[in-house]
Amino acid sequence: MATKVEKDSVTGTETTGHEWDGIKELNTPLPRWWIITLWVCVAWSGVYIIFYSAIPGWDGLWEYTARKDVTRQMEAVKADRAKWLDRLADASIEEIGKDSDLLNFAMAGGGAAFADNCAPCHGSGGAGGPGYPNLLDDDWIWGGTLDNIQVTVTHGVRWAQDDDTRITEMPRFGVDELLDKDQINDVADYVLSLFGGGAAAGNGAEIFAENCAACHGESGEGNAELGAPRLSDAIWLYGGDKATIVETITNSRGGVMPAWGTRLDEVTVKQLAIYVHSLGGGQ
Amino acid sequence: MNAIPPSLGDKTAKAVSVDHQPLYADRVRIYPQKVEGPFRRFKWAVLVLLLAIYYLAPWLRWDRGPGAPDQALLIDMPARRAYFFFVEIWPQEVYYLTGLLVLGAVGLFLVTSLFGRVWCAYSCPQTVWTDLFMWVERMVEGDRNARMRLDKGPWTAERIIKKVAKHATWVLISALTGGAWVMYFTDAPTLVVDLLNFQVTGAVLFFILMFTATTYLLAGIAREQVCIYMCPWPRFQAAMFDEDTLTVTYEDWRGEARGKHKAGDSWEGRGHCVDCLQCVNVCPTGIDIRDGSQLECIGCGLCIDACNRIMERLDLPKGLIRLDTVSNQVARAQGGAAPFRLLRPRTLIYTGLLALVAAVMMYGLATRSTLEVNLLRDRNALFVMLSDGTIRNGYTFKIINRARADREFILTVSGIEGATLAVLGGSSGSRAAVFSTRPDQVETYRVFITAPRQSLDGESTDISFVLEEDAMENGENVIQDTVFLGPKR
């Protein structure tokens, strides 16, 4: 330990007394308040450890954890939403459409529920795919009014566990030998011609009138009450080329949709119906 | 530049001479002495002006019509609006704030390159409030010598009373400062009434207390420590300096060799500095300007006032310490003079930048539209085929109405033959749609365009939306170009 403070001759600053290969370090001390601030911060960290959940297994004196906080916030949001959900539950689906605030809430809730439950089959944008109806267009197998959509979502389609499910069955004209291959070919040509796709040949019209018109209508206009798709339009659930139509007539089709009434509460289904209706094709 | 003045080494002279060295330096207390002179008068004038602006500006009113706040300067955080007289800024327009900051920075560069640290000296809030607090200190405890005596002496009743009075006044000023700050963020008259009725919210109280605390700590306790240790500006302001920048300068060629002077002694063979330490005693950061230009010097010029009084008394020319440029000092040392050059490449560039940024800002503000339309094309699905074979595309319009009035717009679409337009929840199948927007709101509309397949140019057709304001005069129009997508042919 040096007994006398050495001063650097050039700057006049004291040295620390340490020397490395003839190089000496100048002592430029920090202001004392600076170091006091540091120690206050260190002490503060101790306070923090005691009050907050810094030690695993102990929530600290304030018993604050981020998880508890988020739970509390979720409950607050739920309580906040409850008011709206109560109003939604009381209002009829038509009334909701007229109340813009209620409609906005329903649209947001419906959108979220759609993404969670419907998007896997119908697509995140609702555009569907072969076998899964496109919800954006104006063609509805089971009807496109708000009420129709609500019933379809609640009870599903061909969902055996639900007694009120939408159910219809098209005969397997080929497999069950109700029509032979030539007849199926003719009627497929006829179906294609209903929306300007080539000329009908043979006796397709007669076969159609005898076998198909009961459900699909005399000119193929369909029947939403029976779930018989309209054939005289541009929209095809499984595909509009002849091979697919022949396959459909031969084997029949029977897509299934779950009954969401047992999985989702009534208010959520209402919101879903409003959301789907607003996608662009609602009637 | 000057050689290192001989006195530089004396700065720490009184430090320890025993056998231990401190790792941490005690703060050297500064007792700035009262001084009178033109620089001091200027500093007072700026201080009064700036404080007046700070405390009175929130009380200015500006009529913006019904439903809008009538405070001229207001940053309304909950409503997400900022008001500056006739300008109303939305959060999306935060670039105006950026422009303002750029303007402030370039202005600071220009002023610094011309006149040195005038910002630090007169207009920095730290300087203004520290000066105010020092004035309070002097009023309560007396001038430099009285204060030093008081602090050295025992804790007498007088000392206790004076300290309590000083700190109480400081806290009061701090509270007023914090209160005035909050007034820029809420309606000032309402806030005062609420404060008098003890009805302010926790948030308001928190901010008032926070700014009270920072004012008290920074202006009362920390003072020059902020400038020396905390502020980045002293560290890089030297980059704006050159040999033609005005700085507070000690004329060492005239002052040295310094020494005590008795009346009647000759001035031959010695400098004009009589080592009276007046310049050190009045310095608010406690430095010796005779050591040359240094980071701690805020450039306030109080030492010039102090020195000039002594020079006057000694019948010597004033300006031993003066506001001068390096080039003039070099010339003066040799008996000449260098003119003060306002126009230099540096100042011209700063002025040019300043003018450019200001012009861009003015242009932006002058042509600022009260209408903004954002058009979002549906991407999922890109298009929808309808049962009659026509193609439908969906678009979302966000119409931002920044005016304080209801406005109606007529939307038409062009570029595609036979297209019809439908608005979700509104009209359908028509050639035009009407959007109404509420004042100061963002309205969202979903629009569907349906077109026959044969009028599409392949997969993508260029179309334009025209949004025309339905107004008698000064209506705004917006044209948005986009595409209409369809299936492959």
Side-chain angles (χ1 to χ4, degrees):
Chain A
M1 212 51 203
T3 52
K4 202 170 172 234
V5 174
E6 188 188 4
K7 262 191 192 172
D8 176 56
S9 58
V10 180
T11 61
T13 310
E14 294 155 18
T15 73
T16 55
H18 306 148
E19 186 179 333
W20 295 272
D21 296 341
I23 300 171
K24 287 176 185 171
E25 189 189 12
L26 297 184
N27 182 17
T28 45
L30 278 173
R32 188 173 297 278
W33 60 262
W34 194 282
I35 195 68
I36 290 171
T37 310
L38 173 71
W39 283 112
V40 168
C41 290
V42 172
W44 173 250
S45 70
V47 173
Y48 202 86
I49 288 170
I50 293 167
F51 281 93
Y52 284 90
S53 55
I55 300 162
W58 183 49
D59 285 352
L61 286 183
W62 275 356
E63 300 192 338
Y64 170 93
T65 65
R67 187 163 293 283
K68 276 187 205 165
D69 201 39
V70 100
T71 312
R72 192 180 49 72
Q73 285 177 14
M74 291 296 287
E75 272 159 18
V77 170
K78 256 185 216 159
D80 199 35
R81 276 190 196 153
K83 295 184 289 215
W84 289 93
L85 296 176
D86 286 348
R87 280 178 64 189
L88 277 180
D90 293 340
S92 78
I93 208 153
E94 278 79 18
E95 282 166 2
I96 296 168
K98 282 172 196 145
D99 182 334
S100 69
D101 288 337
L102 214 49
L103 185 66
N104 278 338
F105 184 86
M107 289 283 289
F114 187 90
D116 282 349
N117 301 291
C118 316
C121 294
H122 291 286
S124 60
Y132 301 103
N134 184 338
L135 305 176
L136 305 174
D137 62 32
D138 57 348
D139 190 33
W140 298 90
I141 299 168
W142 294 100
T145 65
L146 276 169
D147 283 334
N148 290 149
I149 296 170
Q150 191 182 7
V151 171
T152 307
V153 174
T154 309
H155 299 292
V157 177
R158 299 185 189 91
W159 191 250
Q161 292 96 311
D162 192 308
D163 293 338
D164 296 323
T165 193
R166 304 275 202 191
I167 192 155
T168 185
E169 210 170 327
M170 175 171 152
R172 300 185 292 177
F173 288 98
V175 177
D176 295 339
E177 294 176 0
L178 301 171
L179 295 172
D180 62 31
K181 276 198 171 173
D182 290 338
Q183 288 173 311
I184 289 174
N185 194 46
D186 286 352
V187 82
D189 275 337
Y190 178 75
V191 166
L192 271 173
S193 75
L194 289 173
F195 192 67
N203 49 359
E206 286 156 38
I207 302 168
F208 186 87
E210 280 170 23
N211 296 283
C212 315
C215 295
H216 290 289
E218 279 178 30
S219 52
E221 70 273 14
N223 187 337
E225 282 178 28
L226 299 172
R230 179 163 57 185
L231 305 176
S232 59
D233 65 18
I235 293 166
W236 298 92
L237 181 53
Y238 291 89
D241 55 307
K242 191 175 166 190
T244 311
I245 294 171
V246 167
E247 194 190 329
T248 301
I249 298 168
T250 308
N251 300 320
S252 172
R253 302 280 186 183
V256 174
M257 168 170 146
W260 293 96
T262 54
R263 305 189 187 191
L264 303 174
D265 59 76
E266 200 192 328
V267 177
T268 308
V269 170
K270 249 188 205 176
Q271 296 181 71
L272 266 177
I274 289 166
Y275 176 77
V276 169
H277 186 265
S278 76
L279 288 174
Q283 291 163 352
Chain B
M1 283 300 294
N2 304 333
I4 294 170
S7 57
L8 190 66
D10 299 344
K11 249 167 80 174
T12 48
K14 66 180 167 109
V16 199
S17 60
V18 282
D19 62 349
H20 78 281
Q21 297 167 8
L23 282 176
Y24 305 105
D26 268 330
R27 178 176 170 190
V28 182
R29 284 217 148 273
I30 298 168
Y31 298 90
Q33 185 176 293
K34 190 180 172 196
V35 63
E36 273 163 20
F39 284 95
R40 181 64 264 186
R41 280 198 297 278
F42 181 68
K43 202 159 153 65
W44 282 134
V46 175
L47 179 143
V48 170
L49 176 72
L50 292 180
L51 286 180
I53 291 174
Y54 177 73
Y55 285 110
L56 297 180
W59 296 91
L60 292 175
R61 300 288 108 181
W62 189 270
D63 185 20
R64 294 189 183 85
D70 65 346
Q71 186 159 317
L73 297 168
L74 179 67
I75 299 171
D76 191 348
M77 288 288 186
R80 286 162 183 82
R81 297 281 185 279
Y83 304 94
F84 182 82
F85 294 98
F86 59 94
V87 184
E88 180 185 337
I89 302 289
W90 287 43
Q92 295 95 315
E93 300 173 293
V94 75
Y95 43 78
Y96 285 116
L97 182 65
T98 313
L100 207 62
L101 291 176
V102 172
L103 212 59
V106 179
L108 189 57
F109 295 167
L110 174 64
V111 168
T112 303
S113 72
L114 284 175
F115 309 115
R117 295 178 63 174
V118 284
W119 165 260
C120 300
Y122 304 108
S123 45
C124 173
Q126 176 65 24
T127 275
V128 170
W129 264 271
T130 299
D131 218 20
L132 181 67
F133 276 39
M134 282 179 177
W135 176 76
V136 169
E137 190 171 63
R138 191 150 55 231
M139 287 297 114
V140 176
E141 297 182 358
D143 205 1
R144 175 179 162 87
N145 291 335
R147 292 208 300 275
M148 290 169 86
R149 232 183 358 260
L150 192 70
D151 281 0
K152 273 208 190 100
W155 277 102
T156 58
E158 185 202 359
R159 184 175 174 189
I160 293 170
I161 289 169
K162 281 187 172 173
K163 291 285 172 193
V164 168
K166 178 180 82 173
H167 286 280
T169 317
W170 282 357
V171 169
L172 181 70
I173 296 174
S174 302
L176 290 174
T177 308
W181 180 262
V182 174
M183 286 180 189
Y184 286 91
F185 295 85
T186 180
D187 187 56
T190 316
L191 178 74
V192 169
V193 172
D194 287 351
L195 274 171
L196 293 177
N197 291 323
F198 300 101
Q199 277 178 342
V200 287
T201 60
V204 168
L205 198 64
F206 170 80
F207 281 107
I208 291 179
L209 289 178
M210 191 173 91
F211 287 105
T212 303
T214 51
T215 309
Y216 175 76
L217 283 175
L218 294 180
I221 311 295
R223 292 190 178 175
E224 82 287 347
Q225 306 277 304
V226 174
C227 311
I228 298 172
Y229 296 103
M230 288 163 70
C231 182
W233 178 236
R235 275 152 187 82
F236 68 84
Q237 46 89 21
M240 286 100 218
F241 279 23
D242 57 23
E243 66 279 6
D244 291 308
T245 301
L246 286 177
T247 41
V248 178
T249 316
Y250 166 65
E251 297 190 323
D252 56 350
W253 50 272
R254 168 150 93 94
E256 301 302 322
R258 68 183 77 155
K260 297 289 177 206
H261 180 265
K262 281 198 200 95
D265 280 2
S266 160
W267 291 102
E268 286 301 316
R270 58 156 295 160
H272 285 176
C273 176
V274 295
D275 216 5
C276 62
L277 291 178
Q278 284 298 299
C279 54
V280 180
N281 290 349
V282 299
C283 180
T285 61
I287 57 160
D288 189 341
I289 191 63
R290 297 172 299 172
D291 295 344
S293 183
Q294 50 207 291
L295 184 148
E296 291 89 342
C297 174
I298 61 169
C300 63
L302 295 187
C303 49
I304 302 178
D305 282 347
C307 187
N308 279 346
R309 290 170 70 83
I310 300 296
M311 291 294 115
E312 213 170 307
R313 206 182 299 164
L314 295 172
D315 242 357
L316 289 169
K318 283 189 190 178
L320 181 60
I321 304 173
R322 58 166 62 218
L323 201 55
D324 207 352
T325 65
V326 171
S327 51
N328 194 39
Q329 276 298 303
V330 172
R332 275 171 62 79
Q334 285 147 13
F340 178 51
R341 291 169 62 212
L342 272 175
L343 302 179
R344 300 162 356 226
R346 176 189 296 274
T347 60
L348 290 178
I349 290 170
Y350 287 145
T351 311
L353 271 178
L354 198 65
L356 182 73
V357 178
V360 169
M361 287 272 290
M362 290 304 284
Y363 177 79
L365 280 175
T367 58
R368 179 179 178 271
S369 170
T370 53
L371 172 68
E372 191 178 319
V373 178
N374 294 329
L375 175 63
L376 306 160
R377 217 192 151 279
D378 278 9
R379 286 162 190 277
N380 187 7
L382 288 170
F383 63 87
V384 179
M385 185 186 278
L386 299 183
S387 53
D388 59 0
T390 54
I391 308 297
R392 193 189 72 203
N393 278 209
Y395 303 87
T396 302
F397 271 89
K398 279 188 188 296
I399 302 179
I400 302 170
N401 177 13
R402 294 204 186 94
R404 292 274 173 191
D406 284 309
R407 295 165 94 183
E408 280 209 341
F409 300 95
I410 298 164
L411 180 77
T412 48
V413 63
S414 63
I416 198 161
E417 212 173 309
T420 55
L421 210 146
V423 179
L424 189 66
S427 60
S428 67
S430 53
R431 299 273 164 207
V434 176
F435 294 160
S436 54
T437 55
R438 286 167 290 174
D440 201 40
Q441 293 284 328
V442 183
E443 307 274 357
T444 304
Y445 286 98
R446 287 273 291 147
V447 174
F448 294 116
I449 302 293
T450 307
R453 208 170 156 176
Q454 56 270 21
S455 52
L456 306 185
D457 311 334
E459 279 180 77
S460 173
T461 310
D462 293 327
I463 61 166
S464 303
F465 282 106
V466 180
L467 197 66
E468 240 176 312
E469 184 166 6
D470 191 10
M472 297 298 279
E473 52 187 30
N474 299 327
E476 288 190 68
N477 293 347
V478 173
I479 296 175
Q480 291 268 354
D481 294 324
T482 181
V483 292
F484 186 95
L485 297 184
K488 284 182 188 160
R489 289 256 178 206

